[in-house]
Amino acid sequence: MAPYRTTLIIIVLAAASLEAVSARLVGNRFLHAADGDNHSVEASPSQIDNEEEPPLDEPPLHVGLPSSELRGSLIAAQFTADPYAHRDRMEMIQTGELGLVGIRYSPTSFAADYENDIMYSNVYGEFCVFNSQLNKVDPSYYPTVKDVLSQSSHCSEHRYTIQLGKVMDALKNSKDAKTLPVSGMLFHQGYSGAGLISNALTAFESTLVVSEHSAIRDALSACDVIRNRYKSDDCSFAKQQKLVLDIISLLSRTTDKNIQHLFLKLHSSSAAYLPTLHALYPSAKWTFSYRNAEETLSKSMQRKRNVTCTKAKRNPSMALSEKSAENNLDLEHLSHHEVCALHLSTLLEAAMREHDISGTGLLVSYDDIISSSGNIIVEE
């Protein structure tokens, strides 16, 4: 074989090898989570970037590697140095420097245990440094937590994975930050004007608005995910509620003396769990934004917007499962449009039912929100 052909083959093989390594690295968001609390856990890996799939536990690829080997590896070469590597991570959480950005759990994290029927197990939080009030600079430019995180290089390269139970234990006696009350919750069908209300609330100096945080969504849907994906009903509602409370407690911490109120804008799919959140925070005001059914369905089925309805088919909420069963419908045999219509109807029904039973909440049409730019809703 000619020398130049041999050289070309070597170059191609080397490039293919590096591409495979890079693909593996990009698929793992926890490469620099070299924390003592990282453990290998029971769940099969899932893509953390897919925000419509609940993130299950997967340890960082370099856990267990000697530091000398890590420093000289291709893994380390692809990332900048962590500016907070020398800091105590638990202390940074206590002072509010590290914020929660996601969670991971295993199929047995909420399994019934009569000796401990309150505390979940093997649940890990993702933490990194970001400006939680960046949305106040321009609410329309940073409408969700995802948009805020996109501006943090630390979150894109140096997320830390820490056992959530240990974090909550460390915060019990911490006085570094205050915990805000949940003053309001914004539910919606999707593309129905809730963002305008959220943006209007963000403009107030006394408010902290957490918009569509994936950790809240994933905690609320945890038992449904375990039931659908792992065909298990062994999921304690009390333990799941404890996780939801802990996550919102973490997100409600602030060192800003001017902020007095926390408002949560939930993912549209989380409206299925409106009764659960209202029971946990009965004094919090809530709204549900809706839109003309045909327009909502049309918007929800558009390309790049249909992920929520697609997920509903393979991972239905209990409300959607029960409604399909009541009407003798098999979700697997329905078209995407039919599943999406059914899913959207369960969200509206959950809000209407809670509104009628409790006498609380405000059902808001898209037209009313648009005509007032969200301000009339904020005033009410």
Side-chain angles (χ1 to χ4, degrees):
M1 184 179 291
Y4 75 91
R5 290 184 64 187
T6 303
T7 302
L8 180 60
I9 291 173
I10 291 173
I11 291 174
V12 170
L13 289 174
S17 178
L18 285 174
E19 183 178 358
V21 171
S22 297
R24 186 185 181 206
L25 298 178
V26 171
N28 193 304
R29 299 291 297 274
F30 304 101
L31 291 176
H32 276 235
D35 185 271
D37 289 324
N38 295 331
H39 301 283
S40 177
V41 288
E42 303 172 26
S44 58
S46 64
Q47 291 291 343
I48 193 70
D49 275 337
N50 184 352
E51 65 172 16
E52 288 303 323
E53 282 295 328
L56 299 181
D57 312 64
E58 178 184 10
L61 291 180
H62 71 317
V63 168
L65 288 177
S67 58
S68 58
E69 182 179 342
L70 179 61
R71 284 195 296 271
S73 69
L74 287 173
I75 295 176
Q78 297 195 27
F79 295 88
T80 60
D82 183 358
Y84 304 97
H86 63 289
R87 296 284 304 280
D88 181 276
R89 293 168 186 175
M90 204 65 78
E91 180 182 313
M92 291 181 69
I93 293 174
Q94 290 176 324
T95 59
E97 294 170 87
L98 276 179
L100 179 71
V101 295
I103 59 168
R104 289 189 163 206
Y105 55 83
S106 76
T108 58
S109 289
F110 313 98
D113 179 357
Y114 295 106
E115 294 182 3
N116 179 15
D117 199 33
I118 297 178
M119 193 61 191
Y120 46 82
S121 62
N122 291 330
V123 177
Y124 294 81
E126 280 186 275
F127 294 86
C128 58
V129 177
F130 65 97
N131 181 3
S132 62
Q133 295 189 51
L134 186 60
N135 55 348
K136 285 189 175 294
V137 176
D138 187 344
S140 62
Y141 194 75
Y142 304 106
T144 69
V145 169
K146 181 181 177 181
D147 300 303
V148 171
L149 296 180
S150 70
Q151 301 301 304
S152 168
S153 59
H154 191 263
C155 290
S156 63
E157 295 188 9
H158 304 293
R159 295 189 181 193
Y160 308 138
T161 307
I162 307 174
Q163 196 171 53
L164 205 59
K166 293 184 178 181
V167 171
M168 300 312 298
D169 287 340
L171 293 178
K172 284 180 179 178
N173 299 315
S174 175
K175 297 181 180 179
D176 295 298
K178 64 181 179 181
T179 301
L180 300 171
V182 178
S183 298
M185 299 179 289
L186 309 179
F187 299 93
H188 56 101
Q189 281 186 312
Y191 316 108
S192 52
L196 281 175
I197 304 175
S198 175
N199 292 346
L201 287 168
T202 303
F204 288 93
E205 189 178 273
S206 61
T207 64
L208 173 63
V209 178
V210 176
S211 180
E212 300 191 9
H213 201 294
S214 64
I216 301 177
R217 178 200 63 205
D218 294 336
L220 286 168
S221 64
C223 283
D224 284 334
V225 169
I226 291 171
R227 173 174 51 83
N228 293 315
R229 186 179 297 181
Y230 298 102
K231 310 304 178 185
S232 172
D233 291 320
D234 190 6
C235 188
S236 167
F237 185 58
K239 291 184 179 183
Q240 183 190 22
Q241 282 188 318
K242 171 63 174 171
L243 177 61
V244 173
L245 288 169
D246 284 351
I247 288 172
I248 293 178
S249 176
L250 274 172
L251 299 178
S252 71
R253 300 179 77 249
T254 181
T255 56
D256 191 328
K257 296 180 179 179
N258 294 320
I259 295 181
Q260 303 297 325
H261 306 283
L262 172 67
F263 287 89
L264 303 174
K265 175 178 178 272
L266 290 305
H267 282 81
S268 62
S269 59
S270 295
Y273 309 100
L274 193 161
T276 297
L277 278 174
H278 186 221
L280 293 175
Y281 302 98
S283 61
K285 296 181 178 181
W286 62 271
T287 65
F288 179 84
S289 306
Y290 64 94
R291 193 172 185 169
N292 174 276
E294 290 78 9
E295 292 178 354
T296 304
L297 181 59
S298 175
K299 291 285 185 182
S300 299
M301 288 304 300
Q302 288 178 3
R303 189 177 181 182
K304 295 185 178 181
R305 287 182 169 182
N306 61 0
V307 286
T308 300
C309 285
T310 301
K311 178 196 172 186
K313 184 170 186 175
R314 65 177 182 270
N315 184 39
S317 65
M318 183 62 75
L320 179 55
S321 296
E322 290 177 349
K323 183 169 183 177
S324 60
E326 288 172 2
N327 292 276
N328 296 317
L329 298 172
D330 186 346
L331 294 178
E332 292 298 324
H333 293 92
L334 297 180
S335 68
H336 288 305
H337 278 79
E338 291 171 330
V339 172
C340 193
L342 198 63
H343 163 70
L344 294 172
S345 70
T346 62
L347 303 184
L348 180 58
E349 288 172 4
M352 293 178 64
R353 187 180 304 112
E354 187 66 21
H355 176 70
D356 292 341
I357 293 174
S358 67
T360 64
L362 189 63
L363 306 181
V364 191
S365 73
Y366 175 79
D367 292 336
D368 289 339
I369 297 173
I370 294 299
S371 63
S372 68
S373 297
N375 291 321
I376 188 172
I377 311 303
V378 172
E379 290 173 3
E380 291 191 31

